[in-house]
Amino acid sequence: MFHRRYNVTAVDISSSKIRACLAELDTDENVNILAAEESVLSTAKKAIVTDLAQTSNILQSLLQKINKQTGVDNRSLYVNVSGQHLQMTKSHGAVMIQN
């Protein structure tokens, strides 16, 4: 019997660290961690990211390490960003697309 497997990449960006994990989910509801990486986030001051470009570089480096370990490309991510300074608002938007 054929069992389909799904790869899921999750990223957690906190005030002091970035963590990334690649897991494999199968149809039997088993979760296997294939790789996990972590890096100190030195671009945060008072729990707020101050250098977005460097944070992006750190994240890209973590994802590349996971790719080298597993050979699996990260095609999509589940991202968690936490912090007391974040606020959520409901809004609607529209974009006009020409031709």
Side-chain angles (χ1 to χ4, degrees):
M1 182 176 192
F2 177 72
H3 292 278
R4 184 171 170 98
R5 295 173 184 224
Y6 300 93
N7 293 323
V8 176
T9 304
V11 175
D12 177 53
I13 302 175
S14 68
S15 60
S16 61
K17 293 184 181 183
I18 297 180
R19 295 174 180 98
C21 175
L22 175 64
E24 178 183 70
L25 308 173
D26 65 24
T27 54
D28 295 329
E29 298 183 11
N30 297 317
V31 177
N32 300 312
I33 304 297
L34 301 178
E37 289 291 330
E38 174 181 275
S39 180
V40 174
L41 186 58
S42 59
T43 60
K45 293 187 180 176
K46 295 185 181 179
I48 297 174
V49 173
T50 56
D51 187 346
L52 192 57
Q54 188 175 2
T55 303
S56 175
N57 290 339
I58 292 169
L59 178 56
Q60 184 176 14
S61 173
L62 290 178
L63 295 176
Q64 286 174 348
K65 286 179 185 178
I66 286 174
N67 178 269
K68 285 182 184 177
Q69 290 175 18
T70 63
V72 176
D73 286 331
N74 302 298
R75 298 197 184 274
S76 63
L77 299 172
Y78 290 92
V79 180
N80 175 57
V81 180
S82 58
Q84 293 180 351
H85 62 286
L86 298 176
Q87 295 180 5
M88 301 295 271
T89 59
K90 270 189 171 180
S91 66
H92 296 278
V95 177
M96 187 172 151
I97 301 174
Q98 297 177 348
N99 295 333

